[in-house]
């Protein structure tokens, strides 16, 4: 049977113990006639019972008990509690006739005005303190569920989501121009009629891709790409060009844009796996320089 959100919330609050006496009677009546609703209440008790076990028992502080004693009239020095003497058995009275024949002795009249029966009141206050502790533990559990598992709660108990609208600033003209001028290409070749590789560089990320076009495989050898610039002390390796059609790397991230854009890129033939010394050891077979593939954006 499908229940409304009010019924589900009522079952959850019953499990928490936050209902009034009349509402609890209403829920218990519904549970007695509707087994499905009783199952809903039991499900909530299982869910919240696990959370309640994570909260330890909190013993009230001594000053709380002192306030309770004050509230029920037990503060200050207590007068001695006088207990009535137990009546003597009839057999003992018959066995001692001398006591009966003795003159009457005045005994103090028992005054019960200073006898205070506080056991029931103390139990009541102790029960109230325990109940308040349990309610506090339930509230802590409810807050924890709302923060970490709100989907376990009915919609009426879930925290309302807040939406924040953030306005991003519009891109500037310089940013637009940079995005539009982000691609550079170099033909790595020995002459204009026979390009061996095409080098593409993304100016924004400095990632580059080498595409094999006309280069012939070298048995037992590897092609290695180098960046050559008068701003560098010596040519720097950009890695071995793989045997696949495309080779992509981010080896240019450490260089300034001016060095990247104005450098000469060279390919040498090295031992398989690349130069063992970090410097070019084989002949330079292909070279090329980057050119822009997108015209400047008019201002």
């Amino acid at each position: 049977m499908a229940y409304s959100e009010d019924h589900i919330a009522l079952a959850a609050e019953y499990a928490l113990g936050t209902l009034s006496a009349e509402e609890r009677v209403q829920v218990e009546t519904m549970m007695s006639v509707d087994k499905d609703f009783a199952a809903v209440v039991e499900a909530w008790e299982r869910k919240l019972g696990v959370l309640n076990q994570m909260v330890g028992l909190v013993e009230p502080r001594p000053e709380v008990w002192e306030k309770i004693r004050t509230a029920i009239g037990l503060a200050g020095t207590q007068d001695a509690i006088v207990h009535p003497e137990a009546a003597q058995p009839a057999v003992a009275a018959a066995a001692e006739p001398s006591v009966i024949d003795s003159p009457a002795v005045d005994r103090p009249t028992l005054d019960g005005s200073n006898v205070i029966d506080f056991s029931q009141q103390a139990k009541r206050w102790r029960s109230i303190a325990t109940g308040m502790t349990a309610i506090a533990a339930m509230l802590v559990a409810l807050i924890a569920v709302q923060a970490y598992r709100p989907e376990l709660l009915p919609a009426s108990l879930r925290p309302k989501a807040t939406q924040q609208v953030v306005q991003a600033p519009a891109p500037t003209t310089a940013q637009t121009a940079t995005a539009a001028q982000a691609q550079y290409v170099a033909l790595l070749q020995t002459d204009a009629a026979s390009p061996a590789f095409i080098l593409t560089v993304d100016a924004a990320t400095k990632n580059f891709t080498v595409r094999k076009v006309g280069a012939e495989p070298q048995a037992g050898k590897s092609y290695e790409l180098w960046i050559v610039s008068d701003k560098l002390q010596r040519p720097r390796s950009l890695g071995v060009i793989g045997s696949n059609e495309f080779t992509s790397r981010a080896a240019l991230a450490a260089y300034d844009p001016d060095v990247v854009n104005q450098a000469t890129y060279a390919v040498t033939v090295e031992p398989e796996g690349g130069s063992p010394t970090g410097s070019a050891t084989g002949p330079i077979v292909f070279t090329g320089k980057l050119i822009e593939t997108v015209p400047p954006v008019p201002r």
Side-chain angles (χ1 to χ4, degrees):
M1 178 178 179
Y3 295 97
S4 64
E5 293 184 357
D6 292 338
H7 285 86
I8 297 175
L10 197 64
E13 293 183 15
Y14 179 85
L16 286 173
T18 58
L19 295 177
S20 63
E22 295 180 357
E23 290 173 330
R24 291 189 64 83
V25 171
Q26 177 186 354
V27 173
E28 291 169 355
T29 302
M30 294 174 63
M31 292 171 60
S32 63
V33 299
D34 189 346
K35 295 182 178 180
D36 292 338
F37 184 74
V40 174
V41 175
E42 292 177 359
W44 275 112
E45 289 176 344
R46 288 194 299 270
K47 293 177 182 178
L48 297 177
V50 175
L51 297 175
N52 188 35
Q53 293 176 0
M54 296 187 298
V55 182
L57 181 64
V58 179
E59 183 69 21
R61 299 187 303 274
E63 55 266 25
V64 176
W65 290 118
E66 188 62 31
K67 291 181 180 179
I68 294 175
R69 290 171 57 85
T70 303
I72 62 177
L74 295 180
T77 305
Q78 298 285 321
D79 293 333
I81 299 177
V82 180
H83 297 280
E85 294 183 359
Q88 298 295 330
V91 176
E96 298 179 1
S98 61
V99 176
I100 299 175
D101 296 338
S102 62
V105 179
D106 294 335
R107 296 180 178 273
T109 303
L110 178 64
D111 185 7
S113 61
N114 63 342
V115 179
I116 301 175
D117 184 11
F118 65 90
S119 61
Q120 295 297 328
Q121 297 184 18
K123 291 180 180 179
R124 185 180 308 159
W125 281 103
R126 187 182 294 274
S127 300
I128 292 174
T130 304
M132 294 299 293
T133 302
I135 292 175
M138 289 296 184
L139 292 177
V140 171
L142 179 60
I143 293 173
V145 173
Q146 286 180 335
Y148 298 102
R149 297 295 300 279
E151 69 276 5
L152 297 179
L153 298 175
S156 59
L157 297 178
R158 295 177 186 172
K160 296 183 179 179
T162 58
Q163 296 182 351
Q164 296 182 350
V165 179
V166 179
Q167 184 176 1
T172 62
T173 304
Q175 293 173 335
T176 304
T178 301
Q181 300 173 5
Q183 297 296 325
Y184 291 82
V185 173
L187 297 178
L188 306 180
Q189 56 193 0
T190 54
D191 54 65
S194 56
F197 298 98
I198 297 177
L199 172 65
T200 304
V201 178
D202 188 334
T205 63
K206 295 183 181 179
N207 295 336
F208 70 85
T209 300
V210 179
R211 179 178 182 181
K212 186 192 307 182
V213 180
E216 295 293 336
Q218 300 289 326
K221 301 288 184 179
S222 296
Y223 289 113
E224 189 165 353
L225 180 65
W226 304 81
I227 179 172
V228 183
S229 173
D230 55 1
K231 298 181 180 180
L232 301 175
Q233 295 180 355
R234 59 183 179 82
R236 302 286 182 85
S237 174
L238 299 178
V240 174
I241 300 175
S243 58
N244 297 327
E245 183 178 359
F246 292 93
T247 300
S248 298
R249 287 194 178 86
L252 291 173
Y255 300 96
D256 294 334
D258 292 341
V259 175
V260 173
N261 297 339
Q262 300 175 10
T264 299
Y265 295 87
V267 177
T268 62
V269 178
E270 301 292 341
E272 188 172 4
S275 171
T277 63
S279 300
T281 60
I284 297 177
V285 290
F286 309 112
T287 59
K289 294 182 69 69
L290 292 174
I291 59 173
E292 289 182 328
T293 59
V294 178
V297 177
R299 297 182 179 178

